[in-house]
Amino acid sequence: MERPRFSNHLEAIKFICKDFWSELFKKQIDNLKTNHRGTFVLQDIRFCWLTRMSIDQSPENAASEEPSIMADNKALQSMHLYFPCGIIRGALSNLGIPCAVSADISNLPACE
C-alpha cells in the first residue's frame, strides 16, 4: 500500500516504532519519548539481538575486574547495535529526515 510522505517528524518516528520495527523484529518498540525539539528516544526492553548477552555482575568478579576489561566488554556489546542504528538512520533518511542515531545499553537486554 502506497503511503504519502509524513507531514512531521513525529509521524515518521511513530511509523518506525510500529510498522517498520514490527517488520524487522516481529514486535513494536516498547516506549517512545520525545523532548518536542527533535530528539526522540525509542526503547526496546527485550531487544532480540541482545537477549542472550549478559554482564557478570557477581560481587567477586565486579571487585576484581579491571576498568580496561569492563570498557572492552561495553565496546563489544555496543557493536551489536551499529547495524540496527544504521537501519533506523537509513529508513529515516529515505523518508527525508536527516538524523544521527545512537544506542545506549545500560540494562541488557534493553536498548535505547
Side-chain angles (χ1 to χ4, degrees), residues 19-36:
D19 302 326
F20 188 75
W21 203 260
S22 293
E23 285 296 316
L24 287 176
F25 301 109
K26 307 300 182 219
K27 67 183 285 286
Q28 291 184 1
I29 287 287
D30 295 314
N31 196 1
L32 168 64
K33 297 177 187 175
T34 181
N35 66 356
H36 299 287

Side-chain angles (χ1 to χ4, degrees), residues 10 13 17 29-36 38-44 88 102-104 111-112:
L10 182 59
I13 296 295
C17 292
I29 287 287
D30 295 314
N31 196 1
L32 168 64
K33 297 177 187 175
T34 181
N35 66 356
H36 299 287
T39 301
F40 299 92
V41 176
L42 287 63
Q43 185 177 29
D44 190 337
I88 294 170
S102 62
D104 176 41
C111 69
E112 292 183 2

Side-chain angles (χ1 to χ4, degrees), residues 85-101:
C85 285
I87 291 172
I88 294 170
R89 183 174 179 223
L92 289 170
S93 178
N94 279 311
L95 292 172
I97 303 171
C99 63
V101 178

Side-chain angles (χ1 to χ4, degrees), residues 64-85:
S64 67
E65 196 161 348
E66 294 179 31
S68 63
I69 294 172
M70 292 174 65
D72 289 344
N73 287 339
K74 189 79 167 173
L76 288 172
Q77 294 160 0
S78 67
M79 281 188 213
H80 282 63
L81 298 176
Y82 291 162
F83 186 63
C85 285

